[in-house]
Amino acid sequence: MAHEHHHEHHHEHEEGHIQLWTIIAMVVLLIGAVIVEKNMALPTWQLLLVYLIPYLLIGAGTLKEAAEGLAHGDPFNEHFLMTVATIGALCIGFFPGAETEFPEAVFVMLFFQVGEFFEGYAEGKSRKSIEHLMDIRPDVAHIEGDSELRDVNPQEVLVGQVIVVRPGEKVPLDGMVVSGRSTLNTMALTGESVPLEVREGNDIVSGCINMSGVLRVRTTKTFGESTVSKIIRLVEEAGEHKSQSEAFITRFARIYTPIVVGLALAIAVIMPLAKALMATGLAGGLMAAFWAAFPLWLYRALMFLVVSCPCALVISVPLTFFGGLGGASRKGILVKGANYLDILSKIDTVVFDKTGTLTQGRFTVVAVHPEMCSEFQLLHLAAHVEHSTTHPIGAALRDAFPDEATDGCSVSNVEEIAGKGIRAQVGDKVVCVGNTKMMEMVGAKWHQCEHGDEGTIIHVAIDNSYAGHIVISDQAKPDSAEAISQLKQLGVKKTVMLTGDRDEVAERVARQLQIDEYHAELLPTEKVEQMSVLMPQSEALAFVGDGINDAPVLARANVGIAMGGLGSDAAIEAADVVLMDDQPSKIATAIRIARRTIGIARQNIWFAIGVKVAVLILAFFGIATMWLAVFADVGVTVLAVLNAMRALKA
């Protein structure tokens, strides 16, 4: 950590140093211009000395980079091109009959530094937008001792130890609240501004900020395995996965730069030689004619070098993707690399898991249909029978009748019958709660529910007589319908839902959310098989799951999107994109950010290449000046960098 801070401080110090030297150089340049203006008859070598001081002050860093490139066997970079072009411009005035180009040489170097400054500024902004996630890194953990709290590095805390989190502090490790109530700010993790309420028994994740009460938390993971560490690792690694555009630009620069240097040499040498041959043939005046034409063509070659410098592409395209990743992270969308932005922008099929992704994954009672007692009594008895079960259906019945623990009823002889339900004695009644097989086993004359497609039907028998049924359903998330609607507006051709649930339930959810296609009653292996059928039919397919049991399918898709990355290890590991909250509408946001990022990168590529080609043609025919060449390089770079910074705004 200390090393990182030192490095950042050193980098800032170095940037300030460069700016200071640039300002000094500009002052010296102005003094030089005044001296030249007053003493027009200065010899060329004295003029060179006047301009050499600001040139070296401004260009020292560039000259050093060029020399290092040569020493390491990698000469063809933008620093090398600028060095050759400016040294050439300084030398051109010493040829017979040639104009001096000293001010041009200094200004080319000055504008190149301006371009570098803009690049540094934009990269700093992009880095900060991603590093806001690094702010979630906790600095300290307070461990409970025998009599007092001990402050330690979060990396030293063991699983099972109790830590105290005070108001205003970051939660240092994942754990379960042992005591206390509070609200947590999860903005840095999820992009959500609504605070999350927690109390005893709730799981909490590292990186959130405790806002109100004091919490005692029993840790469930070490710091290295906690949510905050995984997210930071993800963000740090995101830059390593290059997009197709970035990979193309890197290959392009490697081939392009040597070609440019070769062409510049050809312009400087072959063109004046051809002119000399045309003027004199092979007669004795060939060399004199060559030297007479050489300064003009050298000037054009130098302009060619300045214009063809690939700074705008090499800088702005990776910067655009970096900005896109930062913009997405601000919205609580973690994209594991720029290559996934490429795929996201092309998505035409989105496949959803149902439970926990489109629905809340929590069952609730939606209807009570009694036959021989009141609604209250039917629910009351069913909740008592399901009192000790861990099944989600039991939890739904208990939630619907929360006062069962305090109403004095005794529950005994609880018997779980596999694949059928639960039987128990509640007070003086024998109550059976389960499916139709349970009813048939005890001889209760059950009947179908008219609203059977609304969810799962739980039948109840009292003393072997049919007492009615309760309809339990997993509700769709509030923004699931909106998510599907937004995807269709974005031009996604097909939305598909895969679920292990019953066909009637799947059909109801698909109809309610207007999903194009659904496949129900699937085992996890059958979901993977279904993906193999869907993938050849689409250009790019995204699978969206909650990550717990969807890892194989997430890995199979072109891009796997995990919902609710908070606390879901499998999601963070298996997916390519992690949505840090439970909102399906963030999928459309991720696609929008990806398309915008790709669009900005393409604008920069075409703009840079278009301007450069136009000025190169003008330079070859002697129409362009060195100032226009500087604009074609530095001006285009600055404009491309400013355009790239738009990708930060998600």
Side-chain angles (χ1 to χ4, degrees), residues 368 372-387 397-398 401 404 407 409-411 422-433 458-463 465 467-468 470:
V368 181
M372 55 179 275
C373 58
S374 68
E375 282 188 18
F376 175 85
Q377 196 178 11
L378 189 70
L379 203 52
H380 162 241
L381 291 170
H384 274 295
V385 171
E386 296 279 353
H387 175 72
L397 291 168
R398 288 197 301 275
F401 196 86
E404 40 130 342
D407 66 0
C409 279
S410 64
V411 181
I422 297 178
R423 177 164 52 196
Q425 179 115 12
V426 182
D428 59 352
K429 296 181 176 71
V430 175
V431 183
C432 298
V433 179
I458 307 299
H459 297 277
V460 182
I462 301 172
D463 295 331
S465 297
I470 299 164

Side-chain angles (χ1 to χ4, degrees), residues 300-598:
R300 289 183 187 179
L302 296 176
M303 269 198 290
F304 186 86
L305 276 182
V306 173
V307 175
S308 55
C309 184
C311 305
L313 295 176
V314 173
I315 293 166
S316 72
V317 173
L319 202 57
T320 305
F321 282 96
F322 203 53
L325 294 173
S329 74
R330 280 176 179 272
K331 290 282 184 187
I333 301 163
L334 283 185
V335 183
K336 287 192 182 179
N339 51 334
Y340 299 116
L341 287 175
D342 269 335
I343 304 168
L344 272 173
S345 70
K346 297 174 191 152
I347 293 292
D348 60 354
T349 304
V350 181
V351 181
F352 294 91
D353 170 52
K354 179 180 79 72
T355 309
T357 302
L358 291 169
T359 63
Q360 292 174 348
R362 286 196 313 274
F363 286 97
T364 51
V365 171
V366 291
V368 181
H369 299 147
E371 298 273 314
M372 55 179 275
C373 58
S374 68
E375 282 188 18
F376 175 85
Q377 196 178 11
L378 189 70
L379 203 52
H380 162 241
L381 291 170
H384 274 295
V385 171
E386 296 279 353
H387 175 72
S388 57
T389 179
T390 55
H391 196 280
I393 286 173
L397 291 168
R398 288 197 301 275
D399 290 346
F401 196 86
D403 301 326
E404 40 130 342
T406 58
D407 66 0
C409 279
S410 64
V411 181
S412 58
N413 303 330
V414 179
E415 183 190 359
E416 194 155 335
I417 300 157
K420 292 175 184 174
I422 297 178
R423 177 164 52 196
Q425 179 115 12
V426 182
D428 59 352
K429 296 181 176 71
V430 175
V431 183
C432 298
V433 179
N435 56 20
T436 54
K437 289 178 189 166
M438 181 74 148
M439 296 300 105
E440 283 162 4
M441 187 184 88
V442 300
K445 290 189 168 59
W446 64 276
H447 61 80
Q448 286 287 3
C449 174
E450 294 167 17
H451 307 283
D453 67 336
E454 284 184 13
T456 305
I457 310 301
I458 307 299
H459 297 277
V460 182
I462 301 172
D463 295 331
N464 299 346
S465 297
Y466 190 61
H469 50 259
I470 299 164
V471 184
I472 287 175
S473 177
D474 180 10
Q475 299 297 302
K477 288 182 182 171
D479 73 336
S480 288
E482 174 65 18
I484 304 295
S485 164
Q486 283 187 26
L487 289 173
K488 288 182 177 174
Q489 285 168 21
L490 285 171
V492 170
K493 291 179 191 149
K494 190 193 275 187
T495 51
V496 184
M497 183 177 75
L498 306 180
T499 179
D501 215 333
R502 293 194 349 256
D503 195 274
E504 310 90 87
V505 176
E507 197 268 337
R508 175 179 62 83
V509 173
R511 190 178 64 244
Q512 183 188 344
L513 302 180
Q514 297 189 322
I515 290 169
D516 301 325
E517 190 180 308
Y518 73 90
H519 301 273
E521 299 176 30
L522 299 175
L523 296 169
T525 51
E526 291 172 326
K527 285 186 182 179
V528 179
E529 286 164 19
Q530 197 62 52
M531 290 285 286
S532 302
V533 174
L534 290 165
M535 282 183 72
Q537 302 168 12
S538 60
E539 183 187 356
L541 179 144
F543 177 80
V544 190
D546 58 359
I548 313 295
N549 53 2
D550 295 317
V553 204
L554 282 165
R556 181 80 183 85
N558 296 120
V559 61
I561 302 174
M563 297 282 298
L566 283 185
S568 167
D569 295 356
I572 289 180
E573 298 302 329
D576 308 310
V577 178
V578 182
L579 308 181
M580 296 308 292
D581 56 22
D582 272 338
Q583 296 184 352
S585 57
K586 286 274 177 83
I587 302 156
T589 308
I591 292 174
R592 265 192 222 102
I593 289 170
R595 287 185 184 173
R596 188 161 179 268
T597 304
I598 301 290

Side-chain angles (χ1 to χ4, degrees), residues 60-70 74 77 79-80 116:
T62 304
L63 296 170
K64 183 167 162 262
E65 291 274 353
E68 281 174 4
L70 278 170
D74 178 30
N77 55 38
H79 299 284
F80 175 74
E116 294 268 286

Side-chain angles (χ1 to χ4, degrees), residues 14-27 54 56-58:
E14 206 173 69
E15 268 190 10
H17 210 65
I18 289 165
Q19 286 168 36
L20 177 68
W21 280 120
T22 306
I23 292 162
I24 292 168
M26 286 170 77
V27 172
L56 292 172
L57 284 173
I58 295 166

